[in-house]
Amino acid sequence: MKLSLGPVLFYWGRDRLLDFYAEMAEQPLDIIYLGETVCSKRRAMSLDHWLGLARELRECTRAELVLSGLTLVEAASELSSLKRLCDNGELLVEANDMGAVQLLHERRTPFVAGPALNLYNAHALDELIACGLRRWVPPVECSRRLLQDCLQQLDLLGRPRPEVELFAYGHLPLAYSARCFTARAENRPKDDCRFCCLNYPEGIPLYSQERQPLFTLNGIQTMSAEVCNLLPDYPAMAASGIDVLRLSPRHEGMVEVVQAFAEVRAGSMPPLAVDGCNGYWHGQPGMLRVEETGL
């Protein structure tokens, strides 16, 4: 299977982003996603900056480079930026909003369907394949059984399977809102947030009243508290028709994460268990680690 590096979901400064991608360019990755998917106010990198970074990365990596678009498009300015992204003329685009799908379909441009598009069955996939879908990232709550059923339905419809890319590592993006939770946590209005997400390079942990980790707040995005890690499930994923494993960036330790997945891909035995959650893949509540429950 291929390994991909998903778009950075948190807000990091420009220097940190450039350093991060310079480090990732040296790793055994097959696909690298670039761009802002969460909030249009995160302007450390403009579209021109992302394209410039892609040109630089082409000089030092063989990985396929993809531009990711916003997940929640609310304003005319955001739609205008999305049109520019879809018209970039250089890189494949990951569509995270149906508006991007429409724009790319009008341009007859192939695209990646991101996990926020919520495609759960073969008929929905069939519609988007006709629009140009080349690679599909299932919703993060998709189980192995649901994924297999969906692919088998596609076979029955006589449609070719797209490349399947599974979210295999990182804080799971669960929901999006028009409200900015990070600004609210600092008693700031969304329109005057002062880019406070920069203060939380891996989001704000949110606990239950019993002080149990519950969610991670990342601007308008709600994420899992635990980090999803499907490395122990590598054999099952390989047998399920998955082509690509997505590793979602974290602020620290990503080199070790990529190396661990690369070693298992090269033939090393996967670990029996790791820190993190994997419930969704097994058809259980996402925050569970099934090895601990005996399920």
Side-chain angles (χ1 to χ4, degrees):
M1 286 188 287
K2 298 178 183 178
L3 296 178
S4 74
L5 183 73
V8 174
L9 301 180
F10 304 102
Y11 192 22
W12 300 344
R14 186 169 184 269
D15 289 344
R16 172 59 184 142
L17 284 169
L18 295 179
D19 290 344
F20 175 76
Y21 283 109
E23 189 175 43
M24 290 297 103
E26 300 174 355
Q27 306 309 312
L29 293 162
D30 302 287
I31 306 166
I32 296 176
Y33 289 82
L34 306 171
E36 176 58 47
T37 66
V38 177
C39 179
S40 63
K41 296 185 72 175
R42 298 178 176 181
R43 302 189 186 99
M45 298 275 284
S46 66
L47 176 59
D48 290 335
H49 289 144
W50 287 116
L51 290 172
L53 174 60
R55 297 180 193 115
E56 293 177 11
L57 289 174
R58 281 190 180 132
E59 301 298 321
C60 54
T61 179
R62 295 183 179 179
E64 176 190 1
L65 301 172
V66 183
L67 269 178
S68 297
L70 280 177
T71 300
L72 186 61
V73 179
E74 299 181 87
S77 59
E78 294 169 355
L79 181 59
S80 177
S81 296
L82 184 63
K83 289 178 179 178
R84 285 192 62 219
L85 185 142
C86 293
D87 286 330
N88 78 87
E90 296 184 45
L91 302 179
L92 185 68
V93 171
E94 179 187 40
N96 289 302
D97 174 87
M98 287 304 294
V101 172
Q102 177 66 28
L103 292 170
L104 293 161
H105 175 49
E106 290 172 353
R107 290 153 177 74
R108 299 186 178 181
T109 302
F111 60 89
V112 179
L117 291 187
N118 294 331
L119 303 173
Y120 293 101
N121 61 68
H123 294 283
L125 269 177
D126 188 27
E127 290 287 336
L128 266 68
I129 289 172
C131 294
L133 185 154
R134 176 191 295 179
R135 184 183 305 136
W136 171 45
V137 187
V140 296
E141 67 271 28
C142 186
S143 67
R144 178 187 182 187
R145 181 173 180 179
L146 178 60
L147 176 63
Q148 290 178 321
D149 287 347
C150 190
L151 294 177
Q152 289 169 5
Q153 289 173 4
L154 263 185
D155 295 339
L156 291 174
L157 291 173
R159 298 291 288 173
R161 293 185 178 186
E163 232 183 351
V164 179
E165 179 176 349
L166 187 70
F167 194 109
Y169 180 87
H171 288 282
L172 297 168
L174 301 174
Y176 298 82
S177 170
R179 294 178 66 97
C180 178
F181 302 114
T182 305
R184 180 61 179 152
E186 293 201 356
N187 290 318
R188 302 181 189 278
K190 181 180 179 182
D191 292 338
D192 187 27
C193 66
R194 301 183 188 178
F195 310 108
C196 56
C197 283
L198 282 169
N199 300 327
Y200 310 98
E202 279 205 49
I204 302 175
L206 180 66
Y207 298 90
S208 69
Q209 291 182 337
E210 293 76 27
R211 297 301 297 169
Q212 296 296 317
L214 190 60
F215 297 117
T216 298
L217 302 182
N218 176 38
I220 67 168
Q221 185 183 61
T222 302
M223 313 176 80
S224 63
E226 294 282 351
V227 170
C228 171
N229 191 340
L230 299 185
L231 185 57
D233 298 292
Y234 188 94
M237 293 187 292
S240 298
I242 295 168
D243 305 289
V244 185
L245 297 181
R246 174 174 291 201
L247 313 179
S248 187
R250 298 183 66 194
H251 196 251
E252 303 290 344
M254 280 308 296
V255 170
E256 291 77 11
V257 171
V258 175
Q259 291 294 332
F261 275 83
E263 288 171 7
V264 171
R265 178 176 63 173
S268 297
M269 289 292 294
L272 295 177
V274 292
D275 290 336
C277 59
N278 60 2
Y280 280 142
W281 174 246
H282 294 273
Q284 302 295 325
M287 64 174 61
L288 292 183
R289 188 183 308 162
V290 295
E291 291 84 0
E292 293 183 348
T293 64
L295 294 173

